Amino acid sequence: MKKNLHPETLMMSYGYRPEWSEGAVKCPIFQTSTFAFRSAEAGKAFFEVAYGLREKGAREKTGLIYSRLNNPDMEILEDRLTLWDGAEACAAFESGMSAITTVLLEFLQPGDLLLYSNPLYGGTSHFVHHVLPKWGVHVLGFRPGATQEELVRLVEQSGLSERLAMVYLETPANPTNDLVDIAMCRAVADRFSTTERRVLVAVDNTYLGPLWQHPLKHGADLVLYSATKYIGGHSDVIAGACLGSAELIARVKNLRTFLGNMIAPHTGWLLLRSLETLQLRMEKQAANAQILAQRLKEHPVVKHVHYLGLLTPADGEAYKTYRRQCTSPGAMVSFEVKGGEREAFAFLNHLKVIKLAVSLGSTESLAQHPATMTHAGMAPEEKAAFGITDALVRLSVGVEHVEDLWWDLEQALDKACQVSPACEPQHTPRTKALS
Ligand SMILES: *Cc1c(COP(=O)(O)O)cnc(C)c1O
């Protein structure tokens, strides 16, 4: 067999053999809660390994016991997900939030300090601000673009530098595509690590992963996904994943066993199917996004476009981080229409091809209004600080024909222009000629 097969090749077969299932080319759905042991001795041996009562033998396989602990659909999915990020191990979950919260609960203790980047995904932000403090965990946020010196000073001034346990990042940030330098955060974590205690770096890689940003290669210890988004890619499942070293993932899986928030066999099977087209979908989505972002930037009703593909050397550190850390600008675009909520809503209400819905990363294009939807729970001064204005809309670009998407954006922008006192009346919609 050829060595170093590419992940997109391995997505069709890795970790599964047809002879295991009557020659079935595709991995079946193992819709079973429990697995029969060959003998009582075999059952005993499986439990000894699963409960860590002894080390697993060099050639011993982890036996199938019970679907809360392990199941073929879950395990094959986990094996395939490790390939994109070059991770040793993966744990799959029933949602992105369950992956994130299980990691935070496993690696933080009362009295610890969590340093995190802003803005965070709404669900993560709620957990960090309202749940972790109940367990005695201290939390400290920083703004995108903060320098290494600023982060070190922030931690030192908290008086808790000896208790810093984790640096948690989301990059690119949702919805503004602001970047956080993962390697720089690794250096900050190292600065506060001791020989007994490594400060962990965890990265939510939902926006660009698993294709275009590989946090483990930049010094992260843990990578997190909402697999609901690009990995699932069809807006039909909720799922999540966490990747990292075998040692850390063994701890994550151990807590998952007791919280019982593992992925279900059917969901695992759906994601195996999704992974076969992951690269095709994401490449088409990014190609569409690139064209749309460029045209939006030139549109008279659009004020500002946030898209990684529009960064230039004039953007300084953001551009350098982008070139070092990301291999594509991705397919998430946000932009401000001229005006405010009224203009943004007129735009959203008149979209015909693009659906008005939250979520992202699917084959169909979606648009939403972060200030009143995904980020509605954020304090007004925070929204202002992170650029989540009333005029901002977020687009998740799908795989449709790009000219159909542009037609839709243009006609809806014309509707935004009609309700705007600021809009130039001489702007004649180009779409008129088509209708
Ligand atoms: C959607 C999302 C999550 C939460 O994932 P669920 O699958 O909805 O639980 C976390 N982080 C980011 C960046 C997301 O977009």
Side-chain angles (χ1 to χ4, degrees):
M1 188 60 133
K2 179 177 180 284
K3 283 224 179 92
N4 305 325
L5 290 174
H6 295 83
E8 64 265 40
T9 305
L10 292 167
M11 285 309 110
M12 266 52 88
S13 60
Y14 187 74
Y16 171 72
R17 293 211 218 118
E19 59 263 35
W20 293 345
S21 309
E22 308 277 5
V25 165
K26 289 295 152 185
C27 174
I29 309 174
F30 288 84
Q31 193 68 46
T32 183
S33 59
T34 193
F35 297 86
F37 304 135
R38 249 177 299 111
S39 65
E41 289 77 9
K44 178 183 175 184
F46 290 175
F47 269 94
E48 283 171 347
V49 172
Y51 280 23
L53 303 177
R54 64 171 172 84
E55 288 287 307
K56 192 167 71 169
R59 305 199 25 220
E60 190 178 4
K61 276 190 69 185
T62 313
L64 291 165
I65 297 176
Y66 182 68
S67 289
R68 178 156 46 75
L69 280 67
N70 50 18
N71 175 287
D73 294 294
M74 174 161 83
E75 293 191 342
I76 295 167
L77 170 70
E78 290 171 343
D79 289 346
R80 289 189 192 171
L81 281 174
T82 61
L83 298 174
W84 300 97
D85 278 287
E88 279 177 18
C90 170
F93 286 87
E94 64 182 348
S95 67
M97 280 313 299
S98 58
I100 292 164
T101 55
T102 302
V103 159
L104 294 173
L105 291 175
E106 175 58 30
F107 297 107
L108 296 171
Q109 290 180 32
D112 278 349
L113 175 66
L114 172 75
L115 181 68
Y116 67 90
S117 67
N118 269 309
L120 285 180
Y121 175 74
T124 310
S125 171
H126 181 90
F127 193 81
V128 162
H129 291 110
H130 300 287
V131 182
L132 288 180
K134 281 206 287 193
W135 298 91
V137 173
H138 304 277
V139 301
L140 191 57
F142 66 90
R143 61 168 186 88
T147 64
Q148 188 168 335
E149 295 68 41
E150 281 171 336
L151 292 188
V152 168
R153 210 175 319 124
L154 197 63
V155 172
E156 280 171 349
Q157 284 169 354
S158 74
L160 292 163
S161 51
E162 272 141 53
R163 293 305 302 266
L164 180 66
M166 185 186 283
V167 184
Y168 184 96
L169 316 173
E170 234 176 79
T171 181
N174 171 13
T176 50
N177 278 328
D178 285 315
L179 292 171
V180 182
D181 182 340
I182 299 167
M184 182 269 277
C185 290
R186 169 81 267 154
V188 172
D190 286 345
R191 166 89 168 59
F192 295 101
S193 295
T194 62
T195 39
E196 301 87 64
R197 225 172 56 104
R198 177 178 172 87
V199 178
L200 298 179
V201 176
V203 180
D204 181 333
N205 200 33
T206 300
Y207 248 52
L208 279 187
L211 250 66
W212 299 319
Q213 181 172 264
H214 300 126
L216 299 176
K217 299 194 173 102
H218 300 277
D221 300 286
L222 293 160
V223 181
L224 292 151
Y225 288 107
S226 168
T228 310
K229 314 296 164 56
Y230 288 100
I231 293 172
H234 295 75
S235 294
D236 55 7
V237 289
I238 300 281
C242 172
L243 295 99
S245 68
E247 191 187 342
L248 293 179
I249 297 302
R251 285 182 59 180
V252 173
K253 283 185 177 172
N254 191 51
L255 184 56
R256 182 186 67 180
T257 289
F258 299 105
L259 294 176
N261 53 4
M262 70 295 154
I263 197 164
H266 183 245
T267 312
W269 180 84
L270 280 168
L271 292 186
L272 288 177
R273 183 181 172 132
S274 289
L275 282 179
E276 297 188 10
T277 55
L278 178 73
Q279 177 145 339
L280 277 176
R281 285 186 278 112
M282 289 185 77
E283 281 177 352
K284 169 76 172 172
Q285 287 171 273
N288 279 352
Q290 198 116 33
I291 294 167
L292 297 178
Q294 187 61 44
R295 291 189 192 174
L296 282 168
K297 189 181 155 217
E298 289 155 15
H299 194 284
V301 184
V302 172
K303 200 164 89 191
H304 183 71
V305 183
H306 303 271
Y307 182 61
L308 296 179
L310 297 177
L311 290 174
T312 67
D315 293 295
E317 281 307 311
Y319 179 76
K320 285 191 214 153
T321 304
Y322 166 63
R323 293 302 300 256
R324 222 177 19 244
Q325 200 166 285
C326 319
T327 56
S328 160
M332 293 301 297
V333 181
S334 62
F335 62 93
E336 284 179 296
V337 293
K338 284 189 183 152
E341 186 182 288
R342 184 172 49 166
E343 289 77 3
F345 278 18
F347 166 78
L348 290 168
N349 287 336
H350 287 92
L351 289 169
K352 290 177 166 50
V353 178
I354 300 168
K355 298 279 179 302
L356 170 53
V358 298
S359 197
L360 60 104
S362 185
T363 46
E364 77 285 339
S365 296
L366 300 174
Q368 63 109 5
H369 186 248
T372 60
M373 295 171 192
T374 49
H375 294 69
M378 198 180 242
E381 58 277 11
E382 286 208 313
K383 280 188 219 175
F386 306 132
I388 304 168
T389 65
D390 291 339
L392 189 74
V393 296
R394 188 189 77 181
L395 269 186
S396 169
V397 179
V399 300
E400 301 93 337
H401 196 293
V402 71
E403 296 305 335
D404 294 342
L405 294 176
W406 180 244
W407 169 82
D408 198 24
L409 291 175
E410 237 192 352
Q411 64 84 22
L413 282 168
D414 288 332
K415 297 296 192 313
C417 186
Q418 284 166 20
V419 300
S420 172
C423 207
E424 300 287 326
Q426 71 267 28
H427 170 63
T428 347
R430 263 178 282 167
T431 44
K432 278 257 170 72
L434 293 172
S435 53

